[in-house]
Amino acid sequence: MRQYGNKVQNEIYQGKVCPSIPFRFEELEQRAREKLADGPYYYVAGGAGGEETMRANRDSLDRWQIVPRMLNNVEQRDLEVTLFGETYSSPLMLAPIGVQSIVHSEGELASARAAASMNVPFIASSASTYSLEEIAAVMGDAPRWFQLYWSSDPEIAASMLGRAEASGYSAIVVTLDAPMMAWRESDLENTYLPFLSGEGVGNYVSDPVFRSRLKHPPESDPKAAALLWAKVFGNARLTWADLSFLREHTTLPILLKGILHPEDAKLAVDHGIDGIIVSNHGGRQVDGAIGALDSLPLISNAVNGKIPVLFDSGIRRGADVVKALALGASSVLLGRPYMYGLTLAGEEGVKEVIRNVMADLDLTLALSGQSSISGLDPSLLIHVDDLQRKIDRKHNLQV
């Protein structure tokens, strides 16, 4: 990974690679919009309610600004990170996104292959169209984690945990902020919920416990399977005391995804959780919630280095990654950008999104005067509110 950004840049300028997707995120999103029907597009691109939280995610990233340092010898950069005893070549991971088949026929299989080829961990969703075993099969020994939507049927949840461990997944990501679907206006307008038509239920229809709950196999009665899925998908009764159930059914590291409040971060530590992912589900669950990056330093301070804190929601470019890492994230999850890459060019599109963000990250790191991910800290950044206060204070002193 040494001088990764320079190498990618030179290959592009010299015409050694022919990009299949746009470099600019905004154009990537627009091209995906042109290709997809309203239902699939807005299911990926949309958010909860008036989408205030989606805007807050980007606003919070914009409010934190990098203050580059000079003369620091940044010829060689080190992007490596270590999590749970495993060393990864960069801090990037592919976020768990369900129903990827709505944008490309190969769905999660294409994204997983792309992640494996780029040596980026892939977090497979419970809500994937292809089963976790099928995803594992195309990844070989490449790093992968499994994201659990904690079913209201505990035996189904336990079964999925066991299947993930048996299939070579090395961590469990438990999503807490989606025990039910949020009020998503675009999806309601389009009457679009792909699960009811058999998309995104691959882990359920292949699960022995789920299948045992049906009178007839899902292949012969898909409607009954869809109705059962709707009944058991989420679990709104969970409390902190229920976390012991996870420990009873897996030996893998457990991370809680969807933590935004520092008191919840402290509770996670108190309950022996191995890691936290600061996330507001990309703005898809609670409208009017705090921007994820504004929550990150609060969580980092509350955890105080006791467990890794990862970051998700709003990442678009390398500078976003640098900001999140400087504010305490150990690693960063990439979401919608790779879904748009998948839409436009399948596996190759996902690979190019990863390559572009990684190259941008490497160059931004160097141009900020930093030579390693491990050396990033809040001193690299300033918040615009703090900057304005300094300006106002200086002005008042002069007056």
Side-chain angles (χ1 to χ4, degrees):
M1 298 298 293
R2 306 291 181 177
Q3 299 184 334
Y4 182 80
N6 305 88
K7 293 174 182 176
V8 170
Q9 223 176 28
N10 290 337
E11 287 176 352
I12 294 168
Y13 284 136
Q14 294 172 17
K16 294 181 181 179
V17 296
C18 183
S20 59
I21 61 171
F23 290 103
R24 290 188 296 275
F25 170 79
E26 294 77 13
E27 187 178 350
L28 183 67
E29 186 174 48
Q30 180 57 39
R31 291 270 301 279
R33 175 68 191 98
E34 294 167 0
K35 184 171 182 177
L36 294 173
D38 287 353
Y41 173 74
Y42 284 109
Y43 187 83
V44 174
E51 301 184 342
E52 289 183 19
T53 305
M54 288 182 63
R55 290 189 289 273
N57 283 337
R58 288 306 311 166
D59 289 345
S60 63
L61 281 157
D62 290 341
R63 284 196 297 270
W64 287 98
Q65 298 178 346
I66 299 169
V67 186
R69 301 300 303 272
M70 299 295 124
L71 297 174
N72 273 348
N73 186 0
V74 293
E75 183 179 17
Q76 303 292 335
R77 279 87 64 191
D78 182 6
L79 302 184
E80 286 188 348
V81 298
T82 300
L83 289 169
F84 311 118
E86 298 290 332
T87 299
Y88 302 115
S89 58
S90 87
L92 292 183
M93 295 185 170
L94 293 195
I97 299 179
V99 289
Q100 296 188 25
S101 57
I102 65 176
V103 304
H104 190 278
S105 60
E106 289 192 298
E108 298 86 8
L109 300 183
S111 297
R113 287 196 301 265
S117 69
M118 298 296 290
N119 200 28
V120 167
F122 180 76
I123 307 177
S125 172
S126 290
S128 58
T129 296
Y130 293 94
S131 72
L132 62 92
E133 289 87 359
E134 291 173 305
I135 293 169
V138 303
M139 294 193 71
D141 295 330
R144 52 187 176 271
W145 294 2
F146 179 69
Q147 176 267 336
L148 178 73
Y149 282 119
W150 196 329
S151 173
S152 60
D153 184 327
E155 291 186 23
I156 293 176
S159 178
M160 288 195 182
L161 290 171
R163 291 166 60 196
E165 193 158 351
S167 299
Y169 292 82
S170 56
I172 300 295
V173 173
V174 184
T175 295
L176 301 180
D177 58 8
M180 62 195 75
M181 298 288 183
W183 185 259
R184 300 174 187 169
E185 296 173 4
S186 294
D187 294 342
L188 292 165
E189 288 174 356
N190 294 315
T191 59
Y192 189 77
L193 187 61
F195 304 100
L196 299 182
S197 59
E199 305 271 10
V201 296
N203 283 315
Y204 293 85
V205 298
S206 62
D207 189 84
V209 176
F210 182 89
R211 293 175 72 92
S212 73
R213 304 291 195 255
L214 297 166
K215 291 183 179 180
H216 304 287
E219 296 81 9
S220 59
D221 192 351
K223 184 176 180 180
L227 291 174
L228 178 60
W229 171 88
K231 182 180 179 181
V232 304
F233 171 74
N235 191 345
R237 298 189 301 272
L238 293 171
T239 69
W240 289 96
D242 292 306
L243 291 175
S244 59
F245 172 88
L246 300 174
R247 288 294 182 204
E248 294 170 5
H249 291 94
T250 185
T251 62
L252 298 176
I254 298 169
L255 298 92
L256 300 184
K257 181 174 180 285
I259 300 294
L260 293 171
H261 199 293
E263 292 303 316
D264 284 342
K266 293 176 183 177
L267 285 167
V269 173
D270 292 342
H271 284 79
I273 292 300
D274 301 294
I276 286 171
I277 302 179
V278 174
S279 169
N280 56 33
H281 218 95
R284 291 169 56 78
Q285 282 300 99
V286 177
D287 196 26
I290 185 174
L293 196 73
D294 285 335
S295 183
L296 178 58
L298 305 177
I299 302 294
S300 297
N301 288 337
V303 168
N304 195 27
K306 294 175 183 175
I307 57 175
V309 175
L310 286 68
F311 180 79
D312 167 82
S313 296
I315 296 294
R316 301 291 180 261
R317 292 181 166 91
D320 301 334
V321 180
V322 168
K323 292 176 184 181
L325 296 171
L327 288 175
S330 301
S331 191
V332 169
L333 280 58
L334 193 63
R336 286 184 178 96
Y338 90 81
M339 278 293 279
Y340 297 144
L342 177 65
T343 300
L344 298 181
E347 179 182 344
E348 183 59 32
V350 178
K351 287 172 63 175
E352 289 189 26
V353 167
I354 297 170
R355 179 201 67 190
N356 294 346
V357 174
M358 199 178 298
D360 187 11
L361 161 63
D362 179 59
L363 293 170
T364 303
L365 184 74
L367 294 169
S368 300
Q370 309 299 311
S371 59
S372 72
I373 296 299
S374 61
L376 292 175
D377 62 46
S379 67
L380 182 65
L381 307 179
I382 190 167
H383 195 280
V384 292
D385 291 346
D386 294 334
L387 179 61
Q388 187 60 51
R389 281 192 287 269
K390 289 181 180 179
I391 293 172
D392 291 343
R393 187 160 55 246
K394 183 177 180 180
H395 174 74
N396 290 336
L397 288 173
Q398 290 175 339
V399 171

